[in-house]
Amino acid sequence: MTPLSEIYSINSKRFIQLAVVSACALVAAAVMAPDRAWSNLLIIAFYATTVSLGAALFLALTYVCGASWNVAFRRVPEAIAVGLFPFGLMLLGVLAMNYKLYEWHPHAEGDPGSLWFKEAWSSPPFWMARAALYLGIWFVLSRTIIGLSRRQDKSGSPRLTLANRRFSAMFLVVFAPTFALACCDWLMLLDPMWFSTIWGVYHFAGMVQATLSVMVLLAVSLRNRGPLAGIFSDDHLHDVGKLLLGFSCFWMYIWFSQYMLIWYTNMPEETSYYLLRTRGPWGPLMIANIVLNWVVPFFVLLPRPCKRSSSVMVRVAAVVLVGRWLDLYLMVFPATVGPTPVLGLAEISAAGLVIGLFGALFYRNFHKSPAVPNADPLLAESLHHHC
Amino acid sequence: MNRRVLLATFEHEHDLLASAIELRKRNYAIVDAFTPYPVHGLDRALGLPPSRLTWVCFVCGMIGALGMLFFEYWVGAISWAVNVGGKPWHSLPSNVPVAFETAVLLAGFGSVFALFAVCRLFPGKQPSPLFERATDDQFVLLLDEADSRFDPSQVLSLLREFNVVDLEERIIKTGEIRKC
């Protein structure tokens, strides 16, 4: 068997190669169509930031519940959540590149006086400062939780678990409003006239779905390659699968709640969003979005044996991750790029870039601490987890 | 039909679990186990087949969803078409919430009542506990003595290893024990 550090370095090297090649391709694509390249950057930066944030949320939720089942593979979400800092910076950079796009009322038409609040809310300095604030808060709290968890490896003190429970509660309380506002700031304002009060919940559902899928892929690959062999059991996989199934249904529920109210009331300022996205070539993509994010995970993950099979789970996770990308694509591209959907060098190289960066960062972070939180008081319970 | 069974009583759940695994490894027939609360891993230790209740739940849910979608279509577009807010006669989005609720309702009721039916449970049924302490603080394993492979001395020595506290032979009617 190859030593662990070698596995990490081989993996990191491959991911870095992928990232470098993709970055070059993306630069070439940006020369041809800068708007399209920027939209892709926004999608991947938001994608990676929310997956990292979702991992922090998973940590916080399980700490607050006093859950033990996830302790055996907790280093996986921890290593994902560490990515919040680099990807958050990347997102800030992407937002700063094109902040003008988010300005309310950019063409000085109509009557700005009646919407003074929206005008002030989306003024660039305040808007950028808020973005930095949200990311800063998430970063500080998630890093505290991860830091205490790693410190426990050395000190072995059960008090650190209790301390983390308190920080996690704090994180959850802060996370809910900031995340809802952040999603509105970064994606809803692309269409400044349009609004949806369920936007934050919608993104919460999609984020958790994507995070769980990433966790499945990484935990299964770590189990196959050694570090989590005999630790990440089928029972753990089963429980993550149940969560994925549940959150897929939740995503569909929220997606439909947003769509149906707008369809029913049929008010012009609300329907504009869906008119653009359900007609012409966007229509089939809208259907594909539902198929990838709900139909496939729902029907495939319903039977118990499927949730316990790593090959099925890995495939479903990959489908959901593509679905999440399509979901974001449908939010961003009709607003920024144009009337017809495009898929080419820019989209593929952006996807390669984010996969490469994410993978390289993950393996680097995972390698930094023991693969299992070996002093956690709940570890024994987690290793004998049955479901 | 009557059946001769051996009742082995344990004080702790892990004794029951370990003895069940060991007995099955040696091909003894375990009729059933009785515990005060659900014991994790016991279904696997007894070698029970996967529950078929999930299929009942799925089929009931599908009947609820598709049946209600069809009913709404029939009501809204065929039998008594009413113009609601200028929407088309057959408007799928407005039909989905009720179809969803019906799916949940039928799936829930379907699985609960299917379970009751399989277990022959109904309101006012007189409980006839075969082993009263299995509803309180003890764990009981039922072994089939009529099985040709049953070797009393081997079984006894094996059960003693797992701290069996009580052994009893009984003749029970097959109908009295029913697998859910």
Side-chain angles (χ1 to χ4, degrees):
Chain A
M1 209 175 120
T2 39
L4 291 184
S5 53
E6 205 167 301
I7 293 173
Y8 296 127
S9 66
I10 291 170
N11 266 324
S12 293
K13 210 178 278 171
R14 279 191 199 138
F15 279 118
I16 289 167
Q17 282 163 352
L18 176 66
V20 171
V21 171
S22 308
C24 297
L26 191 59
V27 169
V31 173
M32 289 187 279
D35 275 355
R36 189 170 149 193
W38 180 83
S39 304
N40 274 304
L41 278 177
L42 176 68
I43 290 181
I44 61 164
F46 185 80
Y47 198 130
T49 307
T50 49
V51 165
S52 311
L53 181 65
L57 174 72
F58 180 81
L59 290 173
L61 265 179
T62 46
Y63 265 120
V64 165
C65 307
S68 63
W69 66 279
N70 66 312
V71 173
F73 64 97
R74 200 178 61 211
R75 284 287 134 88
V76 176
E78 277 178 17
I80 299 173
V82 171
L84 198 52
F85 183 64
F87 289 120
L89 278 185
M90 179 178 168
L91 181 61
L92 274 183
V94 172
L95 291 175
M97 250 192 264
N98 216 352
Y99 66 91
K100 284 209 169 79
L101 200 65
Y102 290 90
E103 259 181 282
W104 164 243
H105 214 261
H107 310 301
E109 287 161 12
D111 176 19
S114 59
L115 287 157
W116 60 270
F117 180 78
K118 215 160 178 171
E119 174 100 53
W121 186 255
S122 51
S123 71
F126 185 34
W127 179 79
M128 274 310 287
R130 274 203 316 272
L133 179 74
Y134 302 145
L135 288 163
I137 293 174
W138 300 338
F139 167 70
V140 168
L141 282 174
S142 63
R143 255 311 164 77
T144 311
I145 294 171
I146 298 164
L148 286 183
S149 160
R150 287 186 180 170
R151 213 163 84 195
Q152 197 174 41
D153 287 348
K154 292 187 191 98
S155 75
S157 158
R159 273 166 196 238
L160 293 176
T161 300
L162 296 177
N164 253 350
R165 201 169 285 179
R166 257 173 251 130
F167 281 115
S168 298
M170 216 188 293
F171 176 86
L172 290 179
V173 170
V174 174
F175 159 82
T178 48
F179 180 68
L181 291 175
C183 293
C184 295
D185 276 5
W186 301 334
L187 293 178
M188 207 166 82
L189 271 181
L190 285 172
D191 215 335
M193 286 299 280
W194 185 76
F195 52 88
S196 159
T197 45
I198 210 169
W199 195 250
V201 188
Y202 180 35
H203 273 281
F204 165 74
M207 172 183 82
V208 177
Q209 228 185 333
T211 305
L212 291 170
S213 304
V214 170
M215 269 165 48
V216 167
L217 291 182
L218 294 172
V220 168
S221 100
L222 285 170
R223 174 164 82 173
N224 295 341
R225 282 158 204 270
L228 289 185
I231 291 166
F232 184 73
S233 67
D234 283 349
D235 291 293
H236 295 129
L237 187 67
H238 189 173
D239 270 355
V240 180
K242 283 184 217 163
L243 276 177
L244 183 57
L245 173 65
F247 270 94
S248 294
C249 294
F250 183 60
W251 176 90
M252 188 69 244
Y253 188 88
I254 299 297
W255 186 97
F256 185 73
S257 303
Q258 178 174 291
Y259 176 79
M260 194 197 66
L261 288 188
I262 290 172
W263 172 83
Y264 222 110
T265 45
N266 207 11
M267 296 200 296
E269 69 264 37
E270 289 180 347
T271 48
S272 62
Y273 180 85
Y274 281 111
L275 281 181
L276 193 61
R277 285 163 177 81
T278 48
R279 293 190 172 175
W282 295 103
L285 289 180
M286 208 68 165
I287 305 286
N289 190 17
I290 293 170
V291 171
L292 295 177
N293 277 306
W294 178 69
V295 177
V296 170
F298 179 70
F299 286 101
V300 175
L301 292 186
L302 261 187
R304 180 186 146 102
C306 292
K307 282 177 290 224
R308 300 180 72 85
S309 144
S310 56
S311 63
V312 175
M313 281 291 286
V314 162
R315 288 195 179 103
V316 171
V319 168
V320 169
L321 287 176
V322 174
R324 170 75 174 154
W325 178 84
L326 182 62
D327 199 20
L328 294 174
Y329 179 81
L330 281 168
M331 289 168 198
V332 174
F333 269 61
T336 59
V337 173
T340 46
V342 279
L343 179 70
L345 181 68
E347 286 70 34
I348 291 164
S349 58
L353 177 64
V354 76
I355 292 169
L357 286 178
F358 199 94
L361 274 168
F362 173 81
Y363 279 104
R364 205 174 134 256
N365 289 323
F366 192 80
H367 187 37
K368 274 187 185 162
S369 52
V372 172
N374 44 38
D376 194 291
L378 296 170
L379 179 64
E381 208 172 308
S382 179
L383 289 173
H384 297 117
H385 175 64
H386 276 286
C387 66
Chain B
M1 210 181 98
N2 288 343
R3 205 167 178 186
R4 237 159 101 88
V5 291
L6 182 70
L7 268 66
T9 308
F10 301 89
E11 290 277 352
H12 296 288
E13 69 169 79
H14 49 258
D15 286 331
L16 173 89
L17 206 56
S19 61
I21 292 169
E22 198 55 43
L23 284 163
R24 264 182 52 80
K25 225 185 260 169
R26 302 189 189 186
N27 284 324
Y28 287 113
I30 300 173
V31 182
D32 210 342
F34 291 82
T35 58
Y37 52 83
V39 173
H40 272 290
L42 189 58
D43 50 343
R44 233 175 297 171
L46 294 179
L48 296 179
S51 166
R52 281 166 309 198
L53 209 53
T54 52
W55 285 103
V56 175
C57 181
F58 180 71
V59 170
C60 287
M62 280 291 142
I63 291 173
L66 298 176
M68 186 45 93
L69 279 179
F70 176 74
F71 180 69
E72 283 174 298
Y73 164 70
W74 178 77
V75 168
I78 295 175
S79 168
W80 198 270
V82 175
N83 185 339
V84 181
K87 298 276 189 273
W89 299 129
H90 178 54
S91 294
L92 187 63
S94 60
N95 295 349
V96 166
V98 183
F100 169 72
E101 301 296 347
T102 326
V104 173
L105 185 78
L106 285 205
F109 276 168
S111 0
V112 169
F113 287 117
L115 180 72
F116 285 170
V118 171
C119 299
R120 303 281 191 277
L121 285 175
F122 49 85
K125 182 180 180 175
Q126 287 304 312
S128 54
L130 289 168
F131 336 98
E132 280 195 337
R133 289 195 63 182
T135 64
D136 182 19
D137 63 343
Q138 282 190 334
F139 303 82
V140 180
L141 204 60
L142 253 68
L143 294 168
D144 194 356
E145 280 201 346
D147 191 45
S148 57
R149 283 164 302 194
F150 192 84
D151 176 352
S153 64
Q154 213 186 22
V155 169
L156 277 184
S157 65
L158 193 142
L159 286 174
R160 281 210 188 91
E161 271 176 49
F162 295 104
N163 312 317
V164 67
V165 288
D166 194 24
L167 282 167
E168 190 189 340
E169 273 186 348
R170 264 202 218 175
I171 293 173
I172 53 167
K173 286 196 196 91
T174 325
E176 273 183 280
I177 293 180
R178 191 171 277 290
K179 284 194 176 173
C180 296

